[in-house]
Amino acid sequence: MMRIKFLLVALLCSVIGFAQSINDYKAVIVPLKYDFIKTDNQYRLATLSKSNLVKAGFEAFYANEQLPDGYTDRCQVLYLDVVRDNAFLVTKLIVQFKDCFGQVVYTSEVGKSREKEYEVAYKEALDNAFTSVNALHYKYSGNPVATSRTTAPVKAAVATNAVAAIAATQIAVASSPDLKDPNLLYAQPTESGYQLIDKTPKVVMKLFKTSQPNVYIASKDNVQGSLILKQDGQWYFESYQNDKLVSEKIVVKF
């Protein structure tokens, strides 16, 4: 099912088309942890991802690195994700490049390995997935990346998922955030919800879906709580600190 899902996404992208070429992005940001591993750089996946990107011709930076001048515009770079496709006796990995809005710009072919040891299997599967990335022959074009969000592919993608559609509707009624607010956070989709990043970009908060589309289980600075969309159209992070309920307004753009 997972493989079918990604094939459908890839087909959707090819039919609709993207305004930007992958060559228009200046660099790629590599997360230290993917959803299917438990700790930062487990099995050296972050290291291997960056190494493969460099071999493919990309400038690559870890998510916790301070970006040099010329790379600080978060919409001028791509964000790497690696997704595991669960399969019996076979390790399958898929490489995705996403833009600053979390929209998939490119999905690789499935990289496979039949090795039993995780570290060996993940390396082989990742290298195989990057074969199709290498075939792109990436070279930075110098063309500016449009910063306005294209909503059509997003709407088409969520149309097959009723829960996601409801969540999108709920998010849409939230008050439009002030894009000049220095505290503005950007939502990037994950398999379990979203991660909120700042302009550096740094992951500030992780959100996990609940049965209510306007409520997320949230984690911020090792503090567990909830992110709630209230009647004023604003999001609030609520948690208990020293047995006292604390409510913090969060400015976020989904």
Side-chain angles (χ1 to χ4, degrees):
M1 290 298 294
M2 180 69 76
R3 183 178 183 181
I4 294 173
K5 175 183 175 182
F6 281 101
L7 288 174
L8 288 174
V9 171
L11 178 60
L12 176 65
C13 294
S14 64
V15 171
I16 297 174
F18 290 96
Q20 299 296 153
S21 164
I22 198 170
N23 294 322
D24 295 340
Y25 294 88
K26 300 177 69 171
V28 182
I29 305 299
V30 181
L32 297 182
K33 180 180 176 298
Y34 300 113
D35 285 347
F36 61 92
I37 57 178
K38 296 180 179 179
T39 59
D40 288 353
N41 204 21
Q42 189 176 16
Y43 309 116
R44 299 182 65 250
L45 277 174
T47 302
L48 293 169
S49 297
K50 184 175 181 180
S51 175
N52 271 295
L53 285 167
V54 172
K55 289 179 182 177
F58 294 90
E59 288 278 355
F61 303 97
Y62 293 120
N64 63 343
E65 282 188 72
Q66 183 67 40
L67 299 183
D69 292 342
Y71 293 89
T72 53
D73 185 341
R74 60 182 299 279
C75 284
Q76 302 300 315
V77 298
L78 288 168
Y79 299 84
L80 185 74
D81 193 16
V82 175
V83 182
R84 184 179 64 186
D85 183 355
N86 293 323
F88 183 63
L89 297 179
V90 181
T91 298
K92 297 182 179 181
L93 296 181
I94 300 166
V95 173
Q96 288 188 334
F97 292 95
K98 299 179 181 180
D99 65 14
C100 60
F101 297 110
Q103 184 171 310
V104 177
V105 175
Y106 172 79
T107 299
S108 75
E109 295 181 3
V110 180
K112 303 177 183 179
S113 174
R114 294 188 177 275
E115 295 289 340
K116 295 181 179 180
E117 185 180 346
Y118 276 137
E119 186 162 356
V120 177
Y122 282 142
K123 181 183 186 305
E124 183 177 23
L126 187 65
D127 288 346
N128 289 336
F130 263 95
T131 300
S132 57
V133 177
N134 293 331
L136 296 174
H137 302 295
Y138 166 83
K139 184 177 182 181
Y140 179 51
S141 67
N143 296 329
V145 176
T147 56
S148 60
R149 186 171 187 173
T150 303
T151 58
V154 177
K155 290 180 180 178
V158 302
T160 58
N161 188 312
V163 175
I166 294 173
T169 302
Q170 291 288 337
I171 291 171
V173 302
S175 298
S176 298
D178 181 1
L179 299 182
K180 295 182 180 179
D181 191 321
N183 298 316
L184 177 65
L185 301 178
Y186 297 85
Q188 289 185 335
T190 64
E191 287 189 349
S192 54
Y194 294 90
Q195 62 180 15
L196 305 186
I197 66 170
D198 59 19
K199 295 179 180 179
T200 53
K202 172 188 174 184
V203 177
V204 176
M205 183 182 295
K206 292 187 176 182
L207 306 180
F208 303 91
K209 297 175 184 176
T210 69
S211 60
Q212 300 298 318
N214 61 334
V215 178
Y216 292 91
I217 298 171
S219 175
K220 180 176 182 284
D221 296 330
N222 295 321
V223 175
Q224 302 296 320
S226 299
L227 187 71
I228 305 170
L229 177 62
K230 297 195 175 182
Q231 292 182 350
D232 63 356
Q234 303 293 333
W235 291 93
Y236 291 86
F237 175 61
E238 295 192 343
S239 62
Y240 275 92
Q241 299 179 26
N242 298 323
D243 296 326
K244 181 180 179 181
L245 180 63
V246 177
S247 183
E248 176 189 358
K249 181 180 175 181
I250 302 296
V251 184
V252 55
K253 180 175 178 59
F254 283 92

